[in-house]
Amino acid sequence: MSGLRSASDLPAALIPTVPYEVVRFTLPNGLRVVLSPDRSAPVVGVAVVYDVGIRSEPEGRTGFAHLFEHLMFQGSENLEKLAHFRHIQGAGGTFNGSTHLDYTDYFETLPANALERTLFLEADRMRGPRLTEENLRNQIDVVKEEIRVNVLNRPYGGFPWLKLPPVMFDSFANAHDGYGSFEDLESATVSDAADFFAKYYAAGNAVLAVSGDLAVDEAKRLVEDHFGDVPARPAPTRPDFAEPDLTTERRNAYTDPLAPLPAVAAAWRVPDPVADVEAYLPFVVLAEVLTDGDASRLVRRLVLKDRSVTSVGGYIGFMGEPFEVRDPTAILLQAHLPADAPSGGVDNVLNVITEEADRLAHDGLEPGELARTIARMGTHLLRDTDAVLGRALRMAVVEQQRGDAGLVGELPRLLSAVTEEQVRAAAATLVADRRAVVEVQPGGGTR
């Protein structure tokens, strides 16, 4: 046994990758299609991703991308309300949808013999959802209740994903509340919904991905049969959402009446995830080096040694999606402080983050630290795409944003190529003048 090496001693290059089979084609109406056969289990995952998200919302219509996601489940021109639910669940499948900064997705997992059923359903609502006054008012109420549950009546609701962007960014697209204001939601009309569908829900603005137990030729025929006659409409030109980097610190503080403990989150801009992947990936690794697990830098310092915070975490992107986000985005670090934190505790936490980033930049990584971190990240990536639905979702988004769904299988290898020098250079950018900070002052009565 003495000849075996621990995982932390293994070079990152030994992390395994999976060469997923990928077949890509585009229908005449512009719909991009990705097929990824996997005959290991009689199951398929289906994902339709539209290139529209929170950043696409016009002023005065905050929360509209999420509201429209709800409307897509309220029937179509050919099927009544709840038909989608009944047909998917009746086949033994599950389904859902979600709204993100840069895209909206709709997805199902079903037995392989129900593939045609879900393709019919997705194609049917791509032709046109059932946009009625009744459906609109009903779903506005549903979304308002979701905001109450997830933001207004929850401790730390919206922290930090809704609270940091308006501090860091200046443009409406990047800074506004993606859940939406009640006033904007209540003023929405059926005409607004129809215009939103016509602009963003074109076949040419979508990617369909199917992964799992499928025969490529048969699956391609089914896709062509059901999506081929969806009317072609031009995909909208995506605006340039770029903003300049910060040159001086920006800070904001607010009182959360439900929060029992103080909290702080800080963010720094990172390179373009799509246009500058080589410069971006070291920041993805850096977030893990700083915060993932008891061996990470900030957990050891802030939680275990100083005991100045009760928890600390870090990730890329305001919704924690490092491989499903476009520019501009950021690396986020957040921490909750104990109830008896001294005055100036937040500043102390920020100072420690600066110290640890500076130490990493100047002294480098510990032996085995980079290999251990990348091995863990590679394992998580492979686990996330092992299930057919996870693979279909990530392939659809990567195809949409990067033009090559096959990159999903390459991500562990790309991470393996990140060097210590790159991570140190990334750490050197986490300086006070480039950060946006949000502080939560507790109003929960424990202080």
Side-chain angles (χ1 to χ4, degrees):
M1 297 294 289
S2 61
L4 295 178
R5 294 181 293 171
S6 69
S8 63
D9 294 326
L10 293 174
L14 293 183
I15 297 174
T17 60
V18 178
Y20 299 120
E21 183 179 351
V22 178
V23 177
R24 303 162 59 233
F25 60 95
T26 302
L27 298 183
N29 58 17
L31 177 67
R32 286 177 283 170
V33 182
V34 176
L35 304 177
S36 182
D38 180 349
R39 312 306 289 268
S40 60
V43 179
V44 291
V46 178
V48 179
V49 172
Y50 293 89
D51 197 351
V52 56
I54 290 169
R55 282 198 252 241
S56 305
E57 296 169 345
E59 293 193 50
R61 286 292 173 264
T62 59
F64 205 89
H66 177 226
L67 172 62
F68 198 87
E69 175 219 316
H70 280 249
L71 291 173
M72 286 286 280
F73 287 96
Q74 302 306 301
S76 65
E77 294 180 355
N78 297 310
L79 292 173
E80 73 279 8
K81 189 173 183 176
L82 302 181
H84 193 107
F85 300 59
R86 187 176 67 254
H87 287 301
I88 295 298
Q89 292 174 335
T94 59
F95 64 92
N96 212 330
S98 57
T99 309
H100 305 253
L101 288 176
D102 295 304
Y103 66 95
T104 305
D105 58 26
Y106 304 88
F107 49 89
E108 297 87 11
T109 304
L110 305 100
N113 61 7
L115 174 59
E116 184 168 15
R117 178 178 301 205
T118 191
L119 293 178
F120 163 76
L121 292 169
E122 289 294 355
D124 193 59
R125 64 179 170 184
M126 184 179 285
R127 292 186 187 91
R130 185 167 293 201
L131 302 177
T132 67
E133 186 68 22
E134 178 185 2
N135 284 344
L136 178 62
R137 294 302 137 194
N138 174 269
Q139 292 310 301
I140 288 173
D141 289 340
V142 170
V143 170
K144 287 169 60 180
E145 183 61 21
E146 188 174 327
I147 294 171
R148 293 187 186 99
V149 171
N150 292 335
V151 180
L152 301 180
N153 297 327
R154 172 178 291 185
Y156 312 104
F159 172 78
W161 78 278
L162 293 179
K163 303 300 185 179
L164 260 175
V167 181
M168 171 163 274
F169 298 118
D170 296 319
S171 71
F172 171 82
N174 294 319
H176 74 276
D177 182 344
Y179 248 138
S181 72
F182 282 12
E183 180 181 1
D184 283 356
L185 290 168
E186 290 167 353
S187 66
T189 67
V190 172
S191 177
D192 292 331
D195 290 344
F196 195 82
F197 174 79
K199 181 175 183 179
Y200 292 110
Y201 278 72
N205 207 39
V207 175
L208 164 68
V210 184
S211 177
D213 188 9
L214 60 90
V216 170
D217 290 344
E218 175 65 8
K220 185 175 181 180
R221 182 188 67 80
L222 292 175
V223 169
E224 291 171 342
D225 285 349
H226 291 285
F227 287 89
D229 63 351
V230 174
R233 301 196 309 275
T237 301
R238 186 174 185 270
D240 181 3
F241 295 124
E243 293 194 34
D245 195 2
L246 300 185
T247 57
T248 186
E249 182 187 46
R250 295 183 179 183
R251 295 185 70 157
N252 186 43
Y254 69 98
T255 299
D256 183 338
L258 301 177
L261 301 172
V264 63
W268 296 258
R269 288 283 297 278
V270 297
D272 190 321
V274 176
D276 197 1
V277 179
E278 184 176 356
Y280 171 74
L281 288 179
F283 286 88
V284 181
V285 176
L286 175 63
E288 301 286 315
V289 168
L290 290 174
T291 65
D292 190 30
D294 289 347
S296 64
R297 298 295 181 103
L298 293 180
V299 172
R300 283 188 297 175
R301 173 73 186 275
L302 290 169
V303 180
L304 301 178
K305 180 184 176 185
D306 296 352
R307 299 184 183 275
S308 56
V309 305
T310 59
S311 65
V312 62
Y315 46 93
I316 298 286
F318 294 93
M319 301 181 79
E321 300 173 326
F323 303 110
E324 292 93 13
V325 68
R326 292 181 173 128
D327 189 64
T329 190
I331 180 172
L332 277 71
L333 301 174
Q334 66 181 76
H336 289 76
L337 284 68
D340 60 355
S343 176
V346 164
D347 285 327
N348 176 63
V349 171
L350 293 172
N351 289 337
V352 168
I353 290 173
T354 300
E355 289 175 14
E356 290 299 319
D358 185 67
R359 182 175 292 113
L360 176 56
H362 284 88
D363 299 341
L365 292 148
E366 298 169 357
E369 187 177 10
L370 179 61
R372 180 182 67 242
T373 300
I374 292 180
R376 184 169 58 248
M377 296 174 70
T379 299
H380 291 165
L381 283 170
L382 294 170
R383 182 191 62 197
D384 291 345
T385 54
D386 183 58
V388 292
L389 179 57
R391 196 178 313 161
L393 279 166
R394 179 156 289 168
M395 283 187 172
V397 178
V398 170
E399 175 68 27
Q400 180 189 88
Q401 296 182 353
R402 302 167 187 267
D404 184 2
L407 285 174
V408 168
E410 295 294 317
L411 287 175
R413 179 188 63 78
L414 294 174
L415 284 172
S416 298
V418 172
T419 66
E420 177 177 348
E421 289 72 23
Q422 289 176 310
V423 176
R424 293 174 64 177
T429 70
L430 302 192
V431 295
D433 285 345
R434 295 187 62 249
R435 74 188 176 204
V437 178
V438 169
E439 177 183 351
V440 180
Q441 298 168 343
T446 62
R447 288 172 63 86

